[in-house]
Amino acid sequence: MIIVMKAESTKKDIDHVLDSVEKAGLKGVLLQGTNRNVIAIIGDERVVPKDFWDVLPGVEKSVPILAPYKLASKEGKDFKTIIHFNNGKKIGGDHIAVIAGPCAIESKEQIIEIAKRVRDAGATALRGGAFKPRSNPYTFQGLKEEGLVHLARAREVSGLPIVTEVLTPEHVKLVSKYSDILQIGTRNMQNFLLLRAVGESGKPVILKRGMSATIEEFLLAAEYILAQNNPNVILCERGIRTFETHTRFTLSLSIVPQLKEMTHLPIIVDPSHGTGKRSLINPMSKGSIAVGADGLLIETHPEPEKSFVDGPQTITLESFDELMQELKPVAEAVGRKI
Ligand code: PEP
Ligand code: MN
């Protein structure tokens, strides 16, 4: 942290800042310029919030040097996080992970059929919602625990790891019992008690970006999970709210290379929620891989028009097969495998 003093600041102001730095257990070094005085703080500046310094008498501004999300940040770390599953599948590294399945689990037969088909097409994991976060309370809310039981059966049959959403801290234990990866939905990205609870569960977590969250807020949300000693966080871009109404959300693909500069965590893209349109899933999936995404989350269903939830953005199992074939050369072109 660098603290820039106002031109008119007094010796008393400077001494007060230096004193506060020392009280925080840090070291302050005064750099006297011709017009301005600057105080450099040595030590982990993140123990004190930035606005603490900004309001001290005589301070013009403070400039942080370290990212506030210290565990999520790439700073000082020379590794990339890779999440490994028992069956040899992984998320992160050279392989592109493709997680596919219906928005919601509708029946045992439905999820088992989808599991087998997406596995045969080369998917890494199976997704399916049992607890659904719906904007409208009168719509289908998911099969809840019954859905989790079907999902566990689909895992047994297909051998695929499973991903499902958890909505509340009270459900973390139950959902963890069945699922290999917990999903935090966009509407819960800043549900801090839930973030702590999934952190404590020790399960890998797919953290979806809040639809209005900045990149810094997104990484700070990941930090909540990492801070519980859970290193297995996968970031997921799923579209943000903008003025545009042609697509359901605006898929912000520039976040992928931007996050790669900032964090060691894997980042996947969900073009299904990001566009809301079946016809855009194939091109946006290719685009996601081209810009460096570590994986995709794709809604698939045998008969999307009969899907209980999110039919318009869901692709058929045949389209999923084709997509997987078409993604191969794109992955190869950017030095990855699928
Ligand atoms: C989902 O994955 O089905 C879902 C509800 O996603 P989001 O939280 O991104 O809307
Ligand atoms: Mn959905």
Side-chain angles (χ1 to χ4, degrees), residues 53-266:
W53 307 111
D54 290 337
V55 297
L56 290 183
V59 170
E60 184 166 291
K61 62 177 174 184
S62 62
V63 185
I65 304 297
L66 298 171
Y69 35 85
K70 54 180 159 184
L71 300 171
S73 167
K74 245 171 112 165
E75 279 164 2
K77 306 183 191 81
D78 60 359
F79 61 87
K80 281 189 180 158
T81 294
I82 299 179
I83 286 103
H84 296 267
F85 299 101
N86 291 343
N87 63 351
K89 305 260 181 197
K90 56 186 181 202
I91 302 182
D94 288 347
H95 273 83
I96 305 287
V98 182
I99 301 162
C103 183
I105 301 145
E106 296 166 6
S107 68
K108 186 162 89 180
E109 295 68 32
Q110 175 236 27
I111 194 71
I112 288 178
E113 179 190 354
I114 297 173
K116 287 190 201 153
R117 288 287 301 274
V118 299
R119 175 203 57 200
D120 294 347
T124 313
L126 174 70
R127 64 148 286 155
F131 291 92
K132 292 303 305 173
R134 305 303 307 281
S135 302
N136 181 339
Y138 305 116
T139 55
F140 179 62
Q141 306 284 308
L143 292 181
K144 308 192 172 74
E145 188 166 4
E146 186 195 338
L148 295 175
V149 173
H150 298 333
L151 205 47
R153 181 78 191 119
R155 173 180 45 195
E156 243 173 72
V157 173
S158 67
L160 290 177
I162 56 178
V163 178
T164 197
E165 179 163 356
V166 57
L167 286 182
T168 68
E170 297 73 47
H171 285 146
V172 170
K173 215 168 159 193
L174 173 74
V175 179
S176 301
K177 201 169 100 192
Y178 293 95
S179 187
D180 300 287
I181 308 175
L182 303 175
Q183 177 177 319
I184 299 292
T186 190
R187 294 159 186 84
N188 267 322
M189 190 206 80
Q190 284 189 317
N191 181 338
F192 301 118
L193 295 180
L194 180 59
L195 297 176
R196 282 223 173 90
V198 296
E200 281 166 11
S201 76
K203 288 266 171 179
V205 179
I206 291 182
L207 177 65
K208 290 190 141 195
R209 180 187 187 178
M211 61 180 86
S212 309
T214 63
I215 293 179
E216 180 161 315
E217 287 165 339
F218 192 15
L219 287 172
L220 283 169
E223 190 79 10
Y224 266 88
I225 303 169
L226 298 169
Q228 300 306 311
N229 266 334
N230 184 343
N232 296 321
V233 177
I234 301 135
L235 302 170
C236 178
E237 165 61 32
R238 50 79 66 209
I240 52 173
R241 272 270 151 81
T242 68
F243 49 82
E244 182 54 70
T245 52
H246 268 82
T247 48
R248 186 178 177 194
F249 292 94
T250 295
L251 190 59
S252 168
L253 282 190
S254 60
I255 198 177
V256 176
Q258 177 60 68
L259 280 170
K260 293 275 168 195
E261 290 179 8
M262 300 165 82
T263 181
H264 52 89
L265 297 172

Side-chain angles (χ1 to χ4, degrees), residues 246-295:
H246 268 82
T247 48
R248 186 178 177 194
F249 292 94
T250 295
L251 190 59
S252 168
L253 282 190
S254 60
I255 198 177
V256 176
Q258 177 60 68
L259 280 170
K260 293 275 168 195
E261 290 179 8
M262 300 165 82
T263 181
H264 52 89
L265 297 172
I267 166 129
I268 64 171
V269 174
D270 169 358
S272 307
H273 294 86
T275 65
K277 279 191 182 168
R278 196 174 303 152
S279 62
L280 302 184
I281 306 308
N282 184 309
M284 295 316 286
S285 297
K286 291 173 179 161
S288 303
I289 292 179
V291 297
D294 296 297

